[in-house]
Amino acid sequence: MLIPIFKPSIRRKDMDSVLSNLISDSIGPGLLAKRFAQSVSRYLGVAGGVALREYTRSLEVALDALNLAPGSRVVLSPLSPGMYLHVLKKRGFKPLFADVDSDSPVISVDSIKNLLSHDPHVLLIHYHLGFIPDMEEISNLGIPIIEDISHSFGGNTVDRRCGNYGRYIIISLEPENIITSGGGGMILAQRSKDLTAFKKVISDLPEETVLSDINASLGVVQMSSLESFIQARKEIARIFTQALVESKHKTLIQSIDSENVFFSFPVLLESGMAEVRKYAEKKNVQTLPAFDSSIIKKLNQNGFTFPNAKTFFFRTLLFPLYPAMGKRNTEHVARVLSTLP
């Protein structure tokens, strides 16, 4: 049986808890969504948040809350999710692309600094594959940050958790991410005045914009297991890293003094991706090009050049890594990694 590239960490007892929450007489409509957002806010140590039905909507609300004028300039990495570009263009904003570091797929501080002459209005920072850029130096630039911690939820720098640098923080809650509510997203704010600003934006949207209680209930249960999820990911990554040493390939590493979360297991290939994928599939292991849905896939068609991002785009392949893998599947993937062509 094929080991899928992603699988949500949902146990039978989690679904029992979801059902118990939904039928509780003490919980009214919408309260579970509030409880979920409060749980995430407490974990991150921020002012508050709102869970939404769509991840894309989380970014839209964050941008609208900043009250940016059409033509505003937004700095982001070309390895960011492709939907970013759609949202920016829809609002008439101008993307400014900063390359990533040469040794890690994180947005480069030097590349951001090279764009300061364009007077950017916002930095849109995505923690690609859970790896953490130099957020201390980035935050010292004094430009408002929207921080996307979908891949890095639970990670931290020396001083702070990921999610403590942005004016607004967004999270995807789709099944492949660190925690899931079965779909949707969340927006949070560090400061009370920014929380008020984005809640005003949400108040003008349809009522069904907010995450449903059944989805939020799953999110509440997931938050109660977050630390165990993160530890399980670390242990599996340790096993896979040791196995990969036997091959000619290598994995990516956190390049600054921070503790990343393993969103998946990335392999930086020394041979052709098609050959490696064919071998893994033959061994019943699903793989995925790491940045197949990123912006750079579109930029490549338009003559843009970002040498470091292009390297990661063409050479990084993801292998399954998630808490629900189990011992047998973990050992099988490790054997495959150790024998990759």
Side-chain angles (χ1 to χ4, degrees), residues 3 240 285 324-335:
I3 300 174
F240 287 177
V285 176
M325 285 187 69
K327 182 179 179 181
R328 179 182 297 179
N329 284 345
T330 298
E331 291 174 348
H332 179 72
V333 174
R335 286 193 295 271

Side-chain angles (χ1 to χ4, degrees), residues 7-11 43 153-154 177-179 222 225-241 259-265 319-327 329-331:
K7 185 177 181 180
S9 300
I10 302 174
R11 300 159 296 188
Y43 180 82
F153 190 41
N177 286 298
I178 306 300
I179 62 166
Q222 290 263 297
S225 301
L226 176 60
E227 291 301 328
S228 65
F229 288 165
I230 292 172
Q231 290 305 314
R233 287 176 180 272
K234 286 181 181 178
E235 176 58 20
I236 295 170
R238 183 190 65 80
I239 294 170
F240 287 177
T241 300
E259 188 174 8
N260 65 295
V261 173
F262 291 90
F263 164 74
S264 187
F265 190 73
F319 282 75
L321 189 162
Y322 39 81
M325 285 187 69
K327 182 179 179 181
N329 284 345
T330 298
E331 291 174 348

Side-chain angles (χ1 to χ4, degrees), residues 147-160:
E147 194 178 359
D148 189 334
I149 62 171
S150 301
H151 290 184
S152 63
F153 190 41
N156 58 80
T157 65
V158 174
D159 300 316
R160 297 187 247 177

Side-chain angles (χ1 to χ4, degrees), residues 215-259:
N215 292 96
S217 182
L218 177 57
V220 170
V221 173
Q222 290 263 297
M223 280 300 296
S224 67
S225 301
L226 176 60
E227 291 301 328
S228 65
F229 288 165
I230 292 172
Q231 290 305 314
R233 287 176 180 272
K234 286 181 181 178
E235 176 58 20
I236 295 170
R238 183 190 65 80
I239 294 170
F240 287 177
T241 300
Q242 290 180 345
L244 192 63
V245 171
E246 302 297 322
S247 78
K248 61 184 177 182
H249 311 286
K250 59 183 179 181
T251 189
L252 305 178
I253 59 171
Q254 178 62 48
S255 60
I256 63 170
D257 191 12
S258 297
E259 188 174 8

Side-chain angles (χ1 to χ4, degrees), residues 67-89:
N67 198 27
L68 301 171
S72 294
R73 294 167 291 281
V74 181
V75 173
L76 67 163
S77 156
L79 295 182
S80 300
M83 76 88 171
Y84 281 13
L85 197 58
H86 172 74
V87 171
L88 295 180
K89 288 184 175 180

